[in-house]
Amino acid sequence: MTKSVNHPLHFLWCVPRSRSTAFEKMMVNTDQFNVIGEPFIDIYKQGMLSSNDVQITQSNFNHVFESLSHNSLQQPVFVKDMAYHVTPFILDHQILSAKHTFLIRHPNLSIPSLYKMRENFHENETGFEGQVTLFKRIYKLTGKKSFIVNAERLITSPIKTVSRFFDSINHVMPRGVLDWQPGSRDDWKGRESWHIDAINSSGFMDTKRDVKARPLPSRIDKVIQQNVPLYNFMCEQLYQQNLKGS
């Protein structure tokens, strides 16, 4: 009888429009992970829309998390999701059962792209406060700072950046992992419009989709400025991480 091995859950906690979907495709390309994209998005929406059903929403969250843990009995599981999707629900023992990486991107780039996709987004959906909250909570529970990836470095220094990520999760960077076939995923059904660049991609590449094509409303400029200190906090953690790794 073969004894099952409990592989760790690997989470990539992102902000919207941070090249996270391309990162997801890269992980699919390894052929080493069961890759799951945004399994908590519907639960988050349920929780925001039905505040009276907190216990039901928490129960549904726990069920999805337990399913991910069960899947990790078969092979390593990699999950990409937004940090703000889980901060209201994730429990201490769930945090401790997983490994965590954060993908950051400057609000000058991510928020205009978010605005282009959804003009009436809620300020919480920029994702930066959720990232910082979850990062600090993980550090408080574990005494260790989670690994951080800067999205722009995936463009300017992909080999070094991705290699360091795989080192951080105790995996060898697979050969050819930075080149993949264009195409969608089942996880993206109903959300394809958000992932056009990733669907058409064959590797990490810069696009002009995030360039400000028109002046932004004052509300959006204000939201960007409000989130810069949160982004700078994560950058400071990344700077300290790089100092240790140099």
Side-chain angles (χ1 to χ4, degrees):
M1 182 177 178
T2 302
K3 185 178 180 180
S4 62
V5 177
N6 190 7
H7 303 281
L9 282 169
H10 298 277
F11 284 102
L12 182 71
W13 302 118
C14 318
V15 298
R17 318 306 291 167
S18 60
R19 299 200 173 98
S20 61
T21 311
F23 203 105
E24 181 182 334
K25 285 195 76 172
M26 178 196 72
M27 295 303 293
V28 172
N29 197 37
T30 67
D31 289 326
Q32 297 177 4
F33 295 83
N34 179 3
V35 179
I36 301 171
E38 299 189 37
F40 301 113
I41 184 171
D42 290 335
I43 292 170
Y44 170 79
K45 290 178 179 178
Q46 175 196 5
M48 296 303 102
L49 293 173
S50 55
S51 57
N52 292 330
D53 296 331
V54 174
Q55 290 184 336
I56 294 175
T57 305
Q58 183 67 60
S59 177
N60 290 340
F61 179 91
N62 293 343
H63 177 75
V64 172
F65 199 99
E66 288 169 9
S67 177
L68 295 172
S69 297
H70 180 75
N71 289 342
S72 70
L73 294 174
Q74 308 302 320
Q75 69 177 120
V77 173
F78 176 87
V79 180
K80 180 220 67 171
D81 215 322
M82 304 300 133
Y84 78 88
H85 286 166
V86 305
T87 49
F89 311 113
I90 194 166
L91 303 175
D92 288 354
H93 75 272
Q94 294 167 339
I95 288 175
L96 292 169
S97 71
K99 292 190 175 182
H100 308 274
T101 302
F102 287 77
L103 179 64
I104 65 172
R105 195 181 191 200
H106 200 290
N108 280 343
L109 298 172
S110 66
I111 293 177
S113 182
L114 176 61
Y115 172 71
K116 184 174 182 178
M117 295 300 300
R118 180 186 291 157
E119 291 189 357
N120 63 340
F121 68 86
H122 189 278
E123 292 182 10
N124 182 55
E125 293 174 340
T126 62
F128 291 92
E129 184 175 356
Q131 271 200 330
V132 171
T133 298
L134 186 57
F135 182 92
K136 289 181 176 180
R137 187 173 166 197
I138 293 169
Y139 179 56
K140 183 177 180 179
L141 285 171
T142 66
K144 297 179 181 180
K145 293 184 177 181
S146 302
F147 193 79
I148 300 173
V149 176
N150 187 321
E152 299 315 301
R153 295 293 181 265
L154 294 172
I155 305 300
T156 60
S157 184
I159 296 176
K160 180 179 179 180
T161 302
V162 172
S163 178
R164 290 193 65 191
F165 161 73
F166 278 106
D167 286 345
S168 76
I169 64 171
N170 299 317
H171 278 258
V172 176
M173 177 178 168
R175 182 175 297 181
V177 74
L178 294 174
D179 301 296
W180 55 79
Q181 294 298 315
S184 188
R185 303 192 66 224
D186 289 343
D187 284 356
W188 304 345
K189 285 182 179 178
R191 295 184 280 123
E192 289 91 346
S193 62
W194 286 80
H195 305 316
I196 296 300
D197 286 335
I199 289 171
N200 295 327
S201 72
S202 56
F204 290 115
M205 58 184 182
D206 207 354
T207 70
K208 299 185 183 300
R209 195 171 291 273
D210 297 317
V211 176
K212 300 177 185 178
R214 53 196 166 117
L216 293 169
S218 59
R219 178 181 83 88
I220 303 304
D221 282 326
K222 182 179 179 180
V223 171
I224 291 172
Q225 294 309 310
Q226 288 173 338
N227 282 282
V228 167
L230 297 169
Y231 171 77
N232 286 342
F233 170 84
M234 296 299 288
C235 282
E236 176 59 27
Q237 310 311 308
L238 176 57
Y239 175 73
Q240 295 175 14
Q241 169 185 297
N242 290 337
L243 284 180
K244 291 181 179 179
S246 61

